[in-house]
Amino acid sequence: MLLSTRHVYMAGERRGKYQIIHDILRCCNQPIRLTWLLALSNLTGRRAKRYLEFLLEKGLIVEKRTSRGRKCNKTYMITAEGRRVLRLLDELERVLG
């Protein structure tokens, strides 16, 4: 079962870089396909691509490719370092509210 991100944002409310990273890392707690990640993190494809490249480069998530016949599926999963960063972001959010 896929869990949605914890926050509900009001219409017109903009998220910052760290809020978006937090949402993506939370979604990647289990293997997740790009389509679900886009829906649950409320991102467009182009914006998600930028953040995914950044998180992959920093080693906070990994991309796994699986093949079924001619179809290739990509899933994303959080790493141990990504979990550490997610805990830090949770703590920061708790302290700053």
Side-chain angles (χ1 to χ4, degrees):
M1 179 172 144
L2 291 173
L3 301 174
S4 65
T5 56
R6 187 171 39 173
H7 300 290
V8 175
Y9 297 98
M10 302 300 287
E13 184 179 359
R14 298 184 66 103
R15 294 179 290 170
K17 177 180 180 178
Y18 296 111
Q19 289 170 318
I20 293 171
I21 289 171
H22 181 268
D23 290 346
I24 292 172
L25 290 175
R26 182 167 295 286
C27 288
C28 291
N29 261 328
Q30 56 191 356
I32 188 169
R33 288 187 187 171
L34 181 60
T35 306
W36 280 99
L37 182 61
L38 293 175
L40 293 175
S41 62
N42 195 25
L43 290 171
T44 62
R46 186 173 53 192
R47 197 164 190 205
K49 183 179 178 188
R50 252 190 10 236
Y51 279 98
L52 290 173
E53 286 174 358
F54 172 79
L55 294 171
L56 287 164
E57 178 183 305
K58 297 296 181 187
L60 302 179
I61 62 172
V62 291
E63 179 183 273
K64 185 176 179 183
R65 294 172 188 249
T66 57
S67 297
R68 268 194 185 162
R70 294 180 3 206
K71 189 174 182 179
C72 179
N73 293 315
K74 283 194 242 180
T75 57
Y76 298 92
M77 181 76 180
I78 194 168
T79 63
E81 183 67 12
R83 286 190 215 301
R84 189 178 77 77
V85 169
L86 182 58
R87 281 193 301 274
L88 291 171
L89 290 171
D90 283 338
E91 180 68 18
L92 183 61
E93 182 182 348
R94 188 186 66 75
V95 169
L96 298 178

